[in-house]
Amino acid sequence: MLEYQIFLDYWPMILLGFWLTLKIVLCAIALGIPLGLFLALGRRSNYLAVSFLATSFIELFRNTPFIIQVFLFYYVLPFYGLRLSAEYVGILALAAFGGAYFAEIIRAGIDAIPKGQLESARAIGMTDWQSMKNIILPQTVKIVIPPLTNQTLTLIKESAILSTITVHELTMTGLMVQGETFRPFEVFIMVALLYWALNETIATIMRRIEKSYNRNRKQSNKDKYTIDITKSSGLFR
Amino acid sequence: MTPPFLEILEINKRFGDINALKNVSLNVSIGEVICIIGPSGCGKSTLLRTINWLTPPDSGKIILQGDIIGSVTGKLTIKQNRLLNNFRARIGMVFQQFNVWPHLNVLENVIKAQVVVGKKNSEEAKIKAIKMLNEVGLKDKFDEWPDNLSGGQKQRLAIARSLAMDPILMLLDEPTSALDPELIGEVLTVLRNLVKEGMTMLIVTHELGFASNFADKIVFMDAGEIIETGAPREILKFPKTDRLKHFLDKLSITSF
Ligand SMILES: Nc1ncnc2c1ncn2[C@@H]1O[C@H](COP(=O)(O)OP(=O)(O)OP(=O)(O)O)[C@@H](O)[C@H]1O
Ligand SMILES: [Mg+2]
C-alpha cells in the first residue's frame, strides 16, 4: 500500500532538490551550448592545433563514462588548486559533457547546409566568420533544435549522477529521504515524476520554439536538409 | 601599353591525379564579354573559381587592374585575405545552382552583403536592393521567400544580389543550365541587358545562340587547356581544331 503521508511530509524537501537540479541543469546548458558552438567551429578550423584540441576535447568527453568525468573533475581539480563546491563542479562537468555532444550536433548541422551556401557568401566577399554568422548558422539553428533538445533531456537525466559527489540535487534528496523513511516506492515515484515533468516541459517549450521559428520563416523546405551525426567523427578522420 | 583589365596568367590546378587546369592564360579587357565553352569536366568551372580564389590555383597569377588577387605562394597572410575579400566584393559570381540564401527573403538576400561586406547602412542598402530587383524584374517579390520562387526567379535574384555590390567583373557559371527551357529566356534577357550596359563578363555556357550574338570572344577549352579563342563567328563557323569541330558536331548547332 502507498503511504500518502510520505508525500505530504517530504514534498517540500524533494522540491528543494528539484530546484537545485533545475538550477544546475540550466547553468550547464547556458555554458554547454556556447561551448558546443565554440568546439564545433574549432573542429572545422584551418589551424591544425585548434582543430586538434577541439577534436580531442569532444572525443574525450564523448567516449568516457559521465560518472568517471564527474569523479575526475571532483577529485582532480583541487590538486590544481581549484577548490570549488560540489555544485559548481557538477555544473562544469555537465557543461563539458553536454558541450561535447552539442558540438557534434552543431557540426553535423553545419555540414548539412549545402556547400554552395558558404561558397556564395565567400564569393561575395564575406570573411569565414561573417559567412558563418550571417549565412550558415542561421540556417543551422532550425535543423539542430530537435537534436539539441534530445541532448538536453539526456543531460537532465545524467545530472542524477551528481548525487555521487554529494550534490543535494533531486536524486540525492530522494536517496536521503528514502534513508529516513525506508519507503523507496513513494520517494522515487516523486523523484521520477519531477524528472518526467521537467523533461516534458522542456520538450514542449522546444517544440513551440521550433514551430514558431518555422512559421516566422515560412520556409517550405523543412525536411530538405537532414543531419547525419552517425557520420565518422573520430580523431583521425 | 596599358596592362589588360584582367590577366589570367599561367594557371595550373590539380585535383589529385586530375589535371583540371594546365597553364591557362587569358586576357580580358574592360567591357569584354567572353563565353567559355567545352565538354563536361574540361575545367570551365575551375577556371572561373580560380579567378576569385574560391579554388586557389597551384601556381599562376590572377591580376585585376594591376593588382594580384590572392597570393602567388600558398597560404594567405591576413593582409592578403583582406585584399582578397575586397576583390571578391567587386567580382560578382553567379552559380548554376543559384545558391540564394533560403533563410532571408528576397529583399534581405540583396541587402545582406551590402551591409556586411560593403558596410552600407541598411537604408542605403535597401534603396540599392530595390533598384537592382527592379532591374531583374522581381519588383513584386520583395517579401517572398526564395523557396517560393521559380528557378528563373532565383537566378535573377542571385544576379541582383551580385549587382548590388557594384561589381566591375561578373563570373557566371552555367547560369541557365539548371533551368527548365521556358525559364532560360528570362535570365538571358537580364544578361543581355548587362552586356548592353558594358559589364565585363566571363560566362560558362552551353547557350551557343546567346554566345554567338553577345560574346566578343568565345574560348573553347578541352582537358584543362584553352584550345581555341576567337570571335564567335570564327569559333562557331570555322573551327580550326578537330577537337572543337567534334565538340560542335556533338552539340548539333542547327538552332542558329
Ligand atoms: N573539388 C574537386 N575535387 C576533385 N576533383 C575536382 C574538384 N573540382 C573539380 N574537379 C575535377 O576537375 C575537373 C574539372 O572540373 P570542372 O568542374 O572545372 O569542369 P567543368 O568544365 O566545369 O565541367 P561541367 O561542364 O561538367 O561543369 C573534372 O575532372 C572534375 O572532376
Ligand atoms: Mg562546371
Side-chain angles (χ1 to χ4, degrees):
Chain A
M1 264 309 288
L2 282 180
E3 218 174 282
Y4 293 102
Q5 197 55 40
I6 304 273
F7 295 128
L8 295 176
D9 290 347
Y10 286 96
W11 72 263
M13 200 171 156
I14 297 274
L15 219 53
L16 221 56
F18 174 74
W19 177 231
L20 186 58
T21 289
L22 188 63
K23 279 194 291 190
I24 287 178
V25 164
L26 288 180
C27 289
I29 293 168
L31 286 175
I33 289 190
L35 174 66
L37 177 61
F38 190 74
L39 288 170
L41 294 176
R43 186 166 195 167
R44 298 177 71 263
S45 168
N46 291 327
Y47 297 98
L48 278 180
V50 175
S51 98
F52 180 80
L53 282 177
T55 306
S56 308
F57 185 99
I58 293 168
E59 294 306 321
L60 202 70
F61 281 93
R62 265 163 37 101
N63 294 317
T64 51
F66 180 56
I67 192 164
I68 303 296
Q69 296 166 17
V70 171
F71 287 156
L72 283 174
F73 270 92
Y74 190 58
Y75 294 113
V76 175
L77 285 184
F79 268 111
Y80 294 95
L82 210 57
R83 248 166 241 295
L84 297 173
S85 72
E87 284 81 6
Y88 283 109
V89 170
I91 290 172
L92 284 185
L94 267 182
F97 172 78
Y101 280 91
F102 291 147
E104 282 303 272
I105 290 167
I106 294 169
R107 187 181 67 92
I110 292 172
D111 285 352
I113 307 297
K115 184 163 109 288
Q117 292 290 312
L118 182 62
E119 285 187 343
S120 56
R122 299 292 273 137
I124 210 160
M126 291 190 198
T127 63
D128 218 9
W129 170 241
Q130 286 170 338
S131 316
M132 269 295 151
K133 178 169 163 255
N134 294 290
I135 306 302
I136 306 301
L137 291 179
Q139 296 183 57
T140 307
V141 170
K142 193 179 68 177
I143 50 180
V144 296
I145 287 179
L148 283 185
T149 304
N150 271 340
Q151 192 53 47
T152 300
L153 303 189
T154 301
L155 212 58
I156 291 171
K157 289 178 278 181
E158 290 291 325
S159 74
I161 282 179
L162 300 181
S163 60
T164 56
I165 55 164
T166 72
V167 179
H168 286 235
E169 43 68 77
L170 184 51
T171 298
M172 178 75 168
T173 311
L175 287 167
M176 281 164 42
V177 174
Q178 114 87 8
E180 265 177 50
T181 59
F182 301 105
R183 299 294 302 189
F185 195 56
E186 287 80 356
V187 172
F188 290 118
I189 271 192
M190 278 196 279
V191 170
L193 275 177
L194 284 168
Y195 277 118
W196 173 79
L198 177 56
N199 273 1
E200 202 58 48
T201 309
I202 288 186
T204 307
I205 292 172
M206 294 313 286
R207 268 195 298 273
R208 286 264 166 78
I209 290 180
E210 198 195 343
K211 257 205 205 117
S212 81
Y213 198 87
N214 282 336
R215 197 166 32 224
N216 289 340
R217 301 278 168 186
K218 264 196 257 147
Q219 271 169 285
S220 55
N221 64 343
K222 220 168 89 192
D223 325 290
K224 208 152 80 186
Y225 311 149
T226 47
I227 291 195
D228 182 9
I229 15 183
T230 55
K231 213 154 68 186
S232 137
S233 57
L235 254 182
F236 310 101
R237 279 175 295 171
Chain B
M1 198 188 101
T2 52
F5 177 68
L6 171 71
E7 215 174 331
I8 298 168
L9 214 65
E10 295 169 4
I11 295 291
N12 284 286
K13 180 70 192 179
R14 300 186 70 98
F15 294 106
D17 289 341
I18 300 164
N19 222 340
L21 294 175
K22 295 178 211 160
N23 229 31
V24 173
S25 295
L26 182 69
N27 286 341
V28 183
S29 11
I30 194 156
E32 206 170 19
V33 176
I34 297 184
C35 285
I36 303 169
I37 59 173
S40 179
C42 71
K44 306 179 297 291
S45 298
T46 308
L47 176 59
L48 281 199
R49 295 164 56 90
T50 54
I51 293 173
N52 62 2
W53 224 252
L54 219 48
T55 299
D58 298 333
S59 66
K61 284 183 209 162
I62 306 285
I63 302 165
L64 182 64
Q65 295 182 314
D67 291 311
I68 294 183
I69 296 181
S71 91
V72 192
T73 53
K75 227 173 160 62
L76 298 176
T77 62
I78 291 172
K79 193 169 156 232
Q80 282 172 326
N81 235 320
R82 197 172 306 138
L83 218 63
L84 175 58
N85 286 325
N86 234 314
F87 277 120
R88 282 176 171 164
R90 292 185 294 143
I91 302 176
M93 189 165 214
V94 173
F95 302 83
Q96 183 175 352
Q97 296 303 335
F98 327 128
N99 296 338
V100 291
W101 298 321
H103 62 300
L104 301 173
N105 70 23
V106 166
L107 198 58
E108 290 163 347
N109 257 275
V110 186
I111 289 175
K112 198 69 183 182
Q114 295 187 66
V115 173
V116 173
V117 180
K119 305 289 175 224
K120 284 194 207 166
N121 70 44
S122 52
E123 233 2 81
E124 233 182 312
K126 189 172 171 188
I127 291 168
K128 180 88 181 179
I130 291 172
K131 185 159 164 268
M132 291 303 135
L133 287 169
N134 279 333
E135 269 180 35
V136 300
L138 288 176
K139 63 164 166 282
D140 49 350
K141 298 284 180 197
F142 292 165
D143 299 324
E144 198 57 83
W145 294 99
D147 283 333
N148 301 335
L149 299 180
S150 71
Q153 291 168 334
K154 280 184 198 164
Q155 193 60 298
R156 286 185 280 142
L157 169 58
I159 293 171
R161 177 176 71 182
S162 285
L163 292 179
M165 304 297 287
D166 291 321
I168 54 175
L169 168 68
M170 289 285 284
L171 310 173
L172 301 103
D173 192 356
E174 305 199 31
T176 57
S177 295
L179 299 177
D180 293 335
E182 74 271 19
L183 299 178
I184 291 177
E186 61 190 58
V187 172
L188 290 184
T189 303
V190 170
L191 297 186
R192 215 166 285 146
N193 290 336
L194 277 180
V195 174
K196 283 187 197 132
E197 285 165 22
M199 178 67 75
T200 312
M201 293 197 275
L202 285 168
I203 311 174
V204 174
T205 184
H206 296 299
E207 296 293 323
L208 296 186
F210 177 85
S212 75
N213 284 323
F214 290 94
D216 298 303
K217 245 192 230 166
I218 292 181
V219 168
F220 169 64
M221 291 181 70
D222 194 11
E225 288 175 297
I226 293 182
I227 308 294
E228 280 191 47
T229 306
R233 226 179 91 79
E234 262 175 69
I235 294 284
L236 300 176
K237 299 283 184 204
F238 309 106
K240 294 191 201 69
T241 58
D242 287 343
R243 286 208 255 184
L244 177 52
K245 275 182 202 140
H246 184 69
F247 173 73
L248 292 175
D249 281 348
K250 272 210 305 202
L251 271 185
S252 73
I253 46 166
T254 45
S255 53
F256 70 103

